[in-house]
Amino acid sequence: MAISTGLLSIADLTPEETQRLIQSAAFLKRRRKSRSLLKGKTVALLFEKPSLRTRVSFEVAMWQLGGYAIYLSPAEVGLGKRESIADVARTLSRFVDAIVARTFAHETVELLAKYGSVPVINGLSDHEHPCQALGDLLTIQEKKGHLKGLRLAYVGDGNNVARSLILGAAAVGMDFAIASPPGYELDKQTLRQAKKLASESGARITTVSEPRRAVAGADVVYTDVWVSMGQEAESEMRRRAFAAYQVDAALLSKAKEGAVFMHPLPGHHGEEIAEGLLDHPQSVVFDQAENRLHIQKAILVRALGGKPA
Ligand code: CP
Ligand code: NVA
């Protein structure tokens, strides 16, 4: 899948496309006044779940590029309830130039892409969060000056964020070590896919159950929530299973000197992150949040055929 037809998974991109997006985003970040690149273009933000960063960064990105974004809340559209996913996709495609979709089931973004005739960008599904991972790679590139040869330690749930991140890291040659409790590991298919990409880029993929083993020698320590949107019924069970997987200053100190701490946010203080960790001198989480804006500008410009930066 070329990005001009959408972005459902980070694996839709070749490693070269990923690098180009990171470079374009860095360029657009330096030159904030690029108002005309998407003049006259319109994007629908079709969301089934809450959002702060994804919604605001896409809306601001479109505005700053001279285009327009329309936010469609779950209650308004009733995706698959008031109207079928296929009919929503076909109708929206007559009005807008791209659809950014945040859905529960990954199949929903796939169906939107199948029936729509405009690019569909995955703004988070239960399976992946490609815009997050691309923004994260931009942040790591900024903080460390390069990506290849670095080691990222992910502590926690083998979820949508972990899935996109491991595939993105493996594609650009970054070692990825993940520590998850039993029953919450990344699925075998994603691990196979990541190992294949890693064998081509020279990266190493390691799965462990002990957080300290993942973090030893890491340049980046990363975690995400224990209970993702849609998993609220499992909250108690998950909190018990993940109790030994909290990232705190002591765990961070086991990483390489100068390692950065990352989290996609929203963060749950006292759960996956110790109180105060976001304010730790090694935390880069708000730069990471800001970079969603810059990477999504690069994604939108490529997907909508604006003059590439
Ligand atoms: N990280 C992220 O996607 O945040 P939101 O859920 O607030 O969009
Ligand atoms: N894994 C989290 C990420 C939120 C940005 C979720 O899906 O809720």
Side-chain angles (χ1 to χ4, degrees):
M1 183 186 235
I3 193 164
S4 54
T5 58
L7 178 64
L8 303 190
S9 161
I10 196 163
D12 294 340
L13 303 171
T14 62
E16 294 71 33
E17 282 174 318
T18 299
Q19 294 284 5
R20 268 203 301 278
L21 280 174
I22 295 168
Q23 275 161 18
S24 298
F27 176 82
L28 289 163
K29 185 173 180 176
R30 283 195 302 275
R31 289 192 45 205
R32 284 179 188 247
K33 287 192 185 127
S34 34
R35 284 200 55 97
S36 58
L37 284 175
L38 294 183
K39 194 166 190 295
K41 302 280 187 185
T42 308
V43 167
L45 306 181
L46 183 59
F47 279 31
E48 288 187 322
K49 295 173 176 173
S51 170
L52 174 66
R53 280 144 292 268
T54 307
R55 176 186 173 176
V56 176
S57 54
F58 267 110
E59 285 202 26
V60 171
M62 283 306 287
W63 188 84
Q64 290 185 353
L65 291 167
Y68 187 67
I70 302 167
Y71 174 74
L72 297 165
S73 71
E76 280 166 298
V77 178
L79 193 59
K81 299 185 189 88
R82 179 172 184 266
E83 195 164 358
S84 76
I85 296 164
D87 292 352
V88 169
R90 288 183 291 188
T91 305
L92 272 181
S93 298
R94 300 295 179 102
F95 296 135
V96 300
D97 300 289
I99 299 168
V100 177
R102 167 165 287 201
T103 65
F104 285 99
H106 189 71
E107 296 74 48
T108 304
V109 284
E110 289 177 334
L111 284 172
L112 288 167
K114 178 176 173 189
Y115 289 100
S117 52
V118 295
V120 174
I121 297 166
N122 180 357
L124 181 146
S125 69
D126 63 353
H127 198 65
E128 274 210 49
H129 198 0
C131 299
Q132 181 69 53
L134 288 165
D136 296 343
L137 293 179
L138 169 64
T139 307
I140 298 167
Q141 167 89 41
E142 280 179 355
K143 301 295 175 192
K144 297 288 167 191
H146 65 110
L147 296 171
K148 198 171 167 66
L150 294 177
R151 175 180 167 98
L152 187 153
Y154 182 101
V155 178
D157 195 13
N159 63 11
N160 47 5
V161 166
R163 208 169 275 119
S164 292
L165 200 56
I166 194 173
L167 294 172
V172 299
M174 201 158 70
D175 292 351
F176 193 98
I178 178 164
S180 309
Y184 297 95
E185 299 96 341
L186 269 173
D187 62 284
K188 289 199 167 56
Q189 197 198 324
T190 300
L191 284 173
R192 262 200 307 277
Q193 207 179 351
K195 282 181 181 163
K196 184 169 180 294
L197 287 166
S199 71
E200 289 155 13
S201 70
R204 275 196 326 165
I205 304 293
T206 319
T207 55
V208 294
S209 55
E210 167 62 28
R212 285 186 181 218
R213 280 190 59 203
V215 165
D219 300 280
V220 180
V221 177
Y222 197 117
T223 192
D224 184 23
V225 293
W226 295 341
V227 184
S228 284
M229 291 178 279
Q231 298 173 333
E232 291 75 11
E234 301 171 21
S235 296
E236 278 318 305
M237 198 174 65
R238 283 178 165 269
R239 283 190 192 112
R240 276 197 301 275
F242 284 95
Y245 287 76
Q246 185 184 75
V247 179
D248 57 14
L251 183 64
L252 191 53
S253 74
K254 302 293 171 204
K256 215 181 257 177
E257 205 185 328
V260 293
F261 170 69
M262 298 179 70
H263 188 306
L265 304 177
H268 294 161
H269 305 251
E271 289 191 19
E272 80 280 359
I273 41 169
E275 296 288 351
L277 195 69
L278 297 190
D279 300 309
H280 191 283
Q282 286 164 258
S283 162
V284 298
V285 295
F286 297 107
D287 293 333
Q288 181 186 0
E290 180 191 327
N291 279 337
R292 295 291 304 281
L293 171 68
H294 308 297
I295 199 73
Q296 285 158 201
K297 279 186 178 174
I299 294 168
L300 288 164
V301 168
R302 294 218 177 250
L304 297 176
K307 201 165 120 290

